[in-house]
Amino acid sequence: MTRSFDRSRASHLVRAARLDRKMSQADLARAAGMSQPNVAAIENGTRNPSDDAFERLLRAADYRPSLAVEENAEAIVEAGLRHGLRDIRVFGSVATGADHFTSDIDLLARVDAGRGYFDIAAFAHTVEELTGFAVDVIVDDEHRPAFLDSTALAAL
């Protein structure tokens, strides 16, 4: 998957990822194949990195989806409500703290009656845009749309 992180937030995301991993700017610069002054300029907002340099920095600092989920928790819940998803929970590597830059975000949610696949897909897309990470949504309740059941798929 091609990741799509908001470059306008590069200074914040690079710094958050670096601090999460307890790296110095020099450590991150070495790991990303850059100079420390470049990393400093990106972190203080005086330099906007290219898409490649931005991803290289986040990858080198092992920017984790759990950081993005924590930062965007309120917006994720609001997006869920707009799309008819509620009681949203995180599971998998993000929930256990075993996530890495290559991890996705696994969410479990209840879906309001009358909502369907497009609502679930639109919610997942919104969370992907908010966080920059791939998202899987699992529906877990009695209002689970029938098309998600294997018997309904077999009937198609």
Side-chain angles (χ1 to χ4, degrees), residues 27-91:
D27 293 336
L28 179 55
R30 266 190 303 280
M34 302 175 126
S35 70
Q36 183 277 326
N38 272 340
V39 172
I42 290 166
E43 283 193 10
N44 70 29
T46 59
R47 173 168 283 150
N48 193 17
S50 67
D51 287 337
D52 177 62
F54 186 27
E55 184 166 336
R56 212 167 62 230
L57 285 164
L58 294 177
R59 183 178 297 279
D62 197 23
Y63 179 59
R64 300 176 305 128
S66 55
L67 296 174
V69 168
E70 183 178 337
E71 183 174 332
N72 292 288
E74 188 174 311
I76 291 169
V77 170
E78 289 172 6
L81 293 174
R82 280 194 313 275
H83 295 291
L85 282 80
R86 58 188 160 68
D87 194 19
I88 300 165
R89 284 119 35 226
V90 178
F91 70 100

